[in-house]
Amino acid sequence: DPMPSFQGWAIEAAADTTVIGIGGDQACPHTPYFQLSGDPAHLAARVDAAIHAVSTQLPGGLDTSALVLVGYSQGASKAEDLAAHSPQRFPRVVLIGAPDAPSVSHLGHARVVATMAGERDRRDLMMTGTAALTHAGIPSRFFLLPGPAHGEMGPEGGKVMREALTWVWQTAP
């Protein structure tokens, strides 16, 4: 469910951009929750359908040349998979609190990667991945979310996300 993390940043980011969230499409066993498909082609088709649905509602449509793919937790892993599957379509990536360090092999064709983690979350993975990406020549930067644990954006989430998105667009227009 993308809504909890959206509440922490989407309203502020929406001042400059259109934010589209994709919810899980596969039931998690023995829970009321859903997870995202493991098939990047299926997930890319869902993203394209969501973009199309939103674009038809906006005067003049949606500019898809400036897409930034954002994922939190499991969504960060899926965003990384999408960037590896369709690097020309998703060249700008923001990964938040991923369960694994961002991978140069998956993100080697990205134009820019921003990573984030909460102050009370496991930051080492995002920082290690950022360092590896930078070493590989991929513009990368880590952003700290003051205060929150995993699954939260904290009281400054909107401000930090806006800073990260601004950096992404300035680094890879």
Side-chain angles (χ1 to χ4, degrees), residues 132-169:
L133 291 165
T134 300
H135 183 73
I138 300 154
S140 305
R141 182 173 164 194
F142 174 78
F143 294 82
L144 179 66
L145 294 161
H150 190 77
E152 304 169 349
M153 291 294 286
E156 296 185 47
K159 176 182 167 239
V160 175
M161 180 59 82
R162 191 170 184 151
E163 180 183 342
L165 290 172
T166 298
W167 178 80
V168 164
W169 286 314

Side-chain angles (χ1 to χ4, degrees), residues 34-81:
F34 288 82
Q35 61 186 354
L36 295 166
S37 168
D39 176 9
H42 175 73
L43 190 52
R46 291 188 65 225
V47 170
D48 289 341
I51 289 169
H52 176 74
V54 171
S55 187
T56 62
Q57 301 299 311
L58 297 174
L62 188 62
D63 177 9
T64 59
S65 68
L67 291 177
V68 178
L69 192 58
V70 178
Y72 196 149
S73 192
Q74 183 211 29
S77 295
K78 301 306 176 183
E80 190 173 323
D81 291 345

Side-chain angles (χ1 to χ4, degrees), residues 72-73 76 95-102 115-130 142-145 147-152:
Y72 196 149
S73 192
L95 305 174
I96 311 165
D100 298 303
T115 63
M116 291 185 193
E119 188 172 25
R120 295 183 299 122
D121 194 0
R122 186 169 179 188
R123 299 186 305 261
D124 64 317
L125 295 173
M126 297 292 91
M127 295 170 82
T128 298
T130 301
F142 174 78
F143 294 82
L144 179 66
L145 294 161
H150 190 77
E152 304 169 349

